[in-house]
Amino acid sequence: MRSNKGRKLLMIPGPIEFEPDVLAAMAEPTPSHVAPDFIEVFGHALDQLREVFAAPDGQPFVVAGSGTLAMELAVANLLEPGDAVLVVNTGYFSDRMAAICTRAGAQVTHVRADRVGGAPRLDEVAHALQAGAFKLMTITHVDTSTGVLTDVAGLAQLAQSSGVLTVVDGVCSVAGEALRLTDWGIDVALTASQKAVGVPPGLALLVARPRALETFRQRRTPVASYYADWSNWLPIMEAYQARRPAYFGTPAVNLVLALDVAAAQIVAEGHDRRVARHVRMSNAIKRALQALGLGQVPVAPELAAHTLTAAYFPQDVDGPTLLAKTAAAGVILAGGLHPEIRARYFRIGHMGAVNAADVLGTVGAIEQGLSAAGYAFAPGAGLAAAQEVLLTAA
Ligand SMILES: *Cc1c(COP(=O)(O)O)cnc(C)c1O
């Protein structure tokens, strides 16, 4: 039996809390993937994705799969055996991107942060770019394992001036952090439905700009992955954009209906307002944790993402107990992911539909969890700090 009072708030870095209108689209009777009404919705969703990614000259792809498929859709189509790739490495998901590039036959070089929670400096990346003949550079915009935010605009500019393609893993940033593909010269960016875009898990979303499509067209070898091959998907996307029926693999029809609703909400809110809301919610959570004496994984405030917060457990507090007690108080948080510090920290997702009530509820539940875990603090200290941000920065 399900009860509304018993439900918990899901504050993890994806899947997130979804808007009721988005969930209602998931429950619609499933249409044919070539029904005229559905073709219109899919085409409209693709049109809106160009706005979501700020890529008026971009080609969107919507393919059934998780974010990891989106990562593969990006690099598998651009890389050929022997190509050199530079990975700007900020954690777990940068390592995954490197593994996918290696699987595509590329030679991977990493430029790594000097410690967990850091990010390579622009001059280090510029130096690394000069040291090799790279075809492509990958950037994890927000590494969800560390909560580290990279300077995508600055990095993309470096790559562009070196004639290197830029691929941005925006799975934890698109529709949450500032990201403008065309203005910033990013060739490909990708995300997954269940993060800040706000659609249940199951869609890989990607936008490729002209230089990437041209590189793809000039391949000498076939793409090794059949399902991920743009040759199969590009005609399908072009058909839906032209409001014509087409088939390669059956689209996740209800997820596409939901995507169209979520994208309309994102477009209606507007890029800048949406980013500002994420910054405000993030500041409130971060100030609350600081007031409670918890340290954060990103080593400097300017390296901290606005879509999630990664914080260390206080000394002498048992991590699993804190998370269990916080869940008992009604809010589900995520444990650690980065192998070097996995047991020492936890993560709070605050993206998509997140609002001030969610933030205050989350901080309140964390205070209850901390108290139940035996941590000494002034009750309400976190709530007051969060409220101060929420009241002043509207
Ligand atoms: C979640 C995430 C992924 C992987 O997405 P899945 O849908 O779990 O495959 C990749 N990169 C980043 C930055 C993520 O946050």
Side-chain angles (χ1 to χ4, degrees), residues 2-293:
R2 288 176 294 181
S3 99
N4 238 345
K5 286 293 169 196
R7 74 180 289 280
K8 296 183 191 304
L9 194 61
L10 187 59
M11 296 293 283
I12 67 173
I16 64 165
E17 293 274 323
F18 301 118
E19 292 279 7
D21 286 354
V22 171
L23 293 176
M26 295 296 295
E28 272 185 38
T30 303
S32 159
H33 58 289
V34 290
D37 287 0
F38 178 72
I39 291 171
E40 175 56 35
V41 170
F42 202 152
H44 189 247
L46 292 168
D47 295 343
Q48 295 193 105
L49 276 187
R50 281 197 197 85
E51 283 193 56
V52 172
F53 283 74
D57 59 353
Q59 173 59 55
F61 292 81
V62 174
V63 178
S66 82
T68 306
L69 174 71
M71 296 165 79
E72 186 148 37
L73 276 167
V75 295
N77 284 282
L78 298 176
L79 293 173
E80 298 190 60
D83 284 343
V85 173
L86 185 67
V87 171
V88 179
N89 196 313
T90 47
Y92 179 92
F93 286 107
S94 307
D95 285 337
R96 178 173 295 187
M97 188 63 103
I100 297 170
C101 291
T102 303
R103 190 66 68 88
Q107 302 294 319
V108 173
T109 302
H110 295 266
V111 51
R112 290 180 191 275
D114 57 358
R115 58 200 148 140
V116 174
R121 293 192 317 268
L122 287 183
D123 63 295
E124 292 171 325
V125 175
H127 192 259
L129 275 170
Q130 273 146 32
F134 296 105
K135 180 181 198 176
L136 187 154
M137 181 173 90
T138 71
I139 306 165
T140 313
H141 194 179
V142 170
D143 200 297
T144 319
S145 72
T146 54
V148 167
L149 174 75
T150 47
D151 175 2
V152 165
L155 290 166
Q157 199 177 358
L158 290 177
Q160 209 174 13
S161 59
S162 305
V164 174
L165 292 168
T166 307
V167 171
V168 174
D169 173 352
V171 180
C172 203
S173 73
V174 170
E177 302 281 359
L179 178 64
R180 312 196 70 91
L181 263 58
T182 301
D183 289 352
W184 295 0
I186 295 161
D187 299 292
V188 177
L190 60 103
T191 188
S193 51
Q194 77 275 16
K195 306 248 174 139
V197 169
V199 174
L203 290 181
L205 309 173
L206 177 122
V207 172
R209 292 190 46 250
R211 205 160 59 126
L213 292 167
E214 190 51 35
T215 303
F216 166 72
R217 286 192 190 100
Q218 284 172 10
R219 290 183 68 93
R220 284 159 289 124
T221 59
V223 177
S225 164
Y226 182 73
Y227 185 69
D229 191 340
W230 288 356
S231 311
N232 292 323
W233 293 111
L234 192 52
I236 306 305
M237 299 304 136
E238 287 171 343
Y240 279 112
Q241 278 161 202
R243 310 300 195 259
R244 281 188 283 105
Y247 168 75
F248 167 62
T250 308
V253 175
N254 283 75
L255 284 167
V256 173
L257 298 179
L259 175 66
D260 188 46
V261 174
Q265 292 173 349
I266 293 166
V267 169
E269 185 172 13
H271 180 277
D272 293 352
R273 279 208 323 200
R274 193 170 174 91
V275 170
R277 177 169 57 80
H278 280 80
V279 169
R280 192 160 65 248
M281 298 305 142
S282 173
N283 287 345
I285 294 258
K286 286 173 173 66
R287 287 273 291 280
L289 294 184
Q290 191 184 15
L292 292 167

